[in-house]
Amino acid sequence: MVCKRTMALLGATLALVALPLLFVSGEFGGTDDQASAAIEAMKPGFTPWAAPLWEPPSGEVESLLFSSQAALGALIIGYVIGRRHERAKAEAAKTEPRAVATPAE
């Protein structure tokens, strides 16, 4: 039996996900594009003083590299959190008194 509260939370979550997809339209760009447009509007003819060392050959390659970087970061963070959790669990096990087993009669 599913609780009414669970169903209400599920419905609210689905509404929060679906409503923006249905009613929000527009073109989404990155902050780099927005910053470049704002700088160009404020100071026409501005030339940047730095340039990228390497430009990916396509947007797909750029997306692949970005998602790989995000996955690697998530793996590292997950590993660190897991290590700290297990270390805390091991320390707690050391300080807890152990039950003494009695021989069966």
Side-chain angles (χ1 to χ4, degrees):
M1 182 168 98
V2 179
C3 180
K4 289 182 182 180
R5 182 178 175 189
T6 304
M7 291 304 292
L9 287 173
L10 182 61
T13 303
L14 288 174
L16 285 173
V17 170
L19 290 177
L21 292 174
L22 295 173
F23 296 112
V24 176
S25 62
E27 191 171 315
F28 298 101
T31 55
D32 293 342
D33 296 335
Q34 292 175 359
S36 298
I39 291 170
E40 188 63 36
M42 283 190 261
K43 192 171 184 181
F46 175 78
T47 55
W49 58 272
L53 298 174
W54 177 71
E55 191 74 30
S58 68
E60 290 84 8
V61 173
E62 187 175 358
S63 293
L64 172 71
L65 293 173
F66 181 77
S67 60
S68 299
Q69 179 184 1
L72 180 63
L75 283 171
I76 291 170
I77 290 171
Y79 176 77
V80 169
I81 290 172
R83 286 279 297 203
R84 292 188 65 147
H85 177 74
E86 289 299 318
R87 185 180 300 153
K89 194 189 300 185
E91 288 295 323
K94 282 183 186 177
T95 60
E96 288 180 6
R98 296 183 183 173
V100 178
T102 57
E105 293 180 25

